[in-house]
Every structure is written in structure tokens, then in C-alpha cells.
Amino acid sequence: MKFATIFATAGITLCTIASGPAFAGTDPFAAPAPVSKSGPVFASTIKTRFGLVQTSDYGSSTPPNRLFLNGKESTPSAVGNNHLLAISAFENGDHDDVVLKSVGGSGCPTLYSVATVDSSGAHPTAFFGSCADASHISLSADAHKIVLKMPVFKNGRNLKTSTTFEVGDGKIFRDGKPVNAACPGNVCAG
């Protein structure tokens, strides 16, 4: 290995840079090159009775912002916007329900989905919401539904009202009225 001395004045070396095969053509002051990751990188992990529910993140061997149960992608695929997070899990009879949060841009920062998790896999609903963070998430034990309450925004302004979503048996209701829970093309996009 060779060393190049730069800015040597009056016998004082101000900077020494290594050169040679390992350093040829590199900027010694540049940030290190990113490390290649060979395995999955997860944004979130939640334990259920049926195994680990995980969401993938960037820098992974798996596509980003996807939902997995024990390493197997959900059916249909759940695809978050900028990030997909598994934020809470509830035991609900013979299955578990996992609440997913898709973090988006400034137009609609937050949407939700609920994945039914059982021995056959993770099965998400379509994404729904008012584009605001839920102020309350719970399991209605008597109705076997996940309940999400959130503020209502219009043109970026809080209307000082709230809306309630109930999700159960693969169906979504907003303030008691049915909302489409199907995912076109077998992809639930947030």
C-alpha cells in the first residue's frame, strides 16, 4: 500500500491518504458505501398466536412495505405507501387481528388495514381511514370487531368531528355504513 502526502509544509504533514488497489479511485472523505443486506429487514414485528407478523422495509431482499406471517407474504398482498407498520394485535376467537398502518405523504398521511391472521396466513382488508392517525383502537369483544376512531380532516383542516371504523369478518363499516373491503388485483394498496 502506498501513502500520498498532501499539504506537507515545513516538515509537517497535514493530510496523508492511502492509495493502492484497495483505495484506488475512492474519495477518502466520502461516506462509506452502503452495506448490502442479504436478508429481510423488518420495519415492525408483532407476535400473534400463529407466529410473527412482520412488515418489510427498504434495504432488504424482500420488496418494501409488505406484510408477512412467518416469512410468507400475505394473501392478498398488503402494500404500504412510504412505510407499512403492524401497530397492534388482538386475539379474536379462532383468529388474531393485526392493525396495519400505511404511512403516506402529505396528501393522506395515514391509512389503516386489519389483517386476519390464522393458521392459513395473514389476510388484510383494503386500506381505509380519514387520512388521520387513529385516536383510539380497540377490540369490541361482543361484536368481534376492531374499532378505530379518528378525527375527520378536509383540505388539511380538522373539522372537529370524528369517524368510527369497525372491521370484522373481512368487512369494513364507517359510522355503521359498509365500505368496500376488497382489494383489486389481489393487492391491498395503502
Side-chain angles (χ1 to χ4, degrees), residues 77-81 102 111 125-128 183-184 187-190:
S77 292
V79 181
N81 189 351
S102 174
L111 290 175
T125 65
F127 282 86
F128 59 88
C183 300
V187 174
C188 300

Side-chain angles (χ1 to χ4, degrees), residues 72-92:
K72 182 180 176 190
E73 191 169 353
S74 66
T75 306
S77 292
V79 181
N81 189 351
N82 292 338
H83 296 285
L84 180 64
L85 303 170
I87 60 170
S88 56
F90 299 91
E91 292 184 14
N92 193 357

Side-chain angles (χ1 to χ4, degrees), residues 138-152:
S138 64
L139 171 66
S140 169
D142 58 333
H144 298 285
K145 294 179 181 175
I146 299 296
V147 178
L148 295 97
K149 293 182 181 180
M150 59 194 70
V152 177

Side-chain angles (χ1 to χ4, degrees), residues 18-40:
S19 64
F23 298 94
T26 61
D27 178 356
F29 303 106
V35 176
S36 173
K37 296 177 176 132
S38 59

Side-chain angles (χ1 to χ4, degrees), residues 5-81:
T5 302
I6 302 175
F7 306 118
T9 309
I12 300 172
T13 301
L14 300 176
C15 181
T16 300
I17 301 172
S19 64
F23 298 94
T26 61
D27 178 356
F29 303 106
V35 176
S36 173
K37 296 177 176 132
S38 59
V41 176
F42 295 108
S44 62
T45 300
I46 288 187
K47 186 176 180 179
T48 71
R49 293 179 292 172
F50 303 94
L52 293 179
V53 170
Q54 297 174 303
T55 60
S56 60
D57 205 356
Y58 291 95
S60 172
S61 62
T62 59
N65 304 326
R66 304 289 172 97
L67 174 65
F68 295 85
L69 173 63
N70 298 323
K72 182 180 176 190
E73 191 169 353
S74 66
T75 306
S77 292
V79 181
N81 189 351

Side-chain angles (χ1 to χ4, degrees), residues 110-182:
T110 305
L111 290 175
Y112 294 90
S113 172
V114 175
T116 300
V117 179
D118 57 25
S119 59
S120 69
H123 312 285
T125 65
F127 282 86
F128 59 88
S130 68
C131 296
D133 284 330
S135 59
H136 176 82
I137 300 173
S138 64
L139 171 66
S140 169
D142 58 333
H144 298 285
K145 294 179 181 175
I146 299 296
V147 178
L148 295 97
K149 293 182 181 180
M150 59 194 70
V152 177
F153 284 82
K154 185 172 183 177
N155 299 326
R157 296 181 62 203
N158 185 342
L159 298 181
K160 303 204 189 256
T161 62
S162 66
T163 187
T164 301
F165 289 89
E166 294 180 314
V167 184
D169 296 325
K171 297 177 179 142
I172 304 170
F173 296 89
R174 181 178 186 167
D175 298 326
K177 297 176 183 166
V179 175
N180 184 9

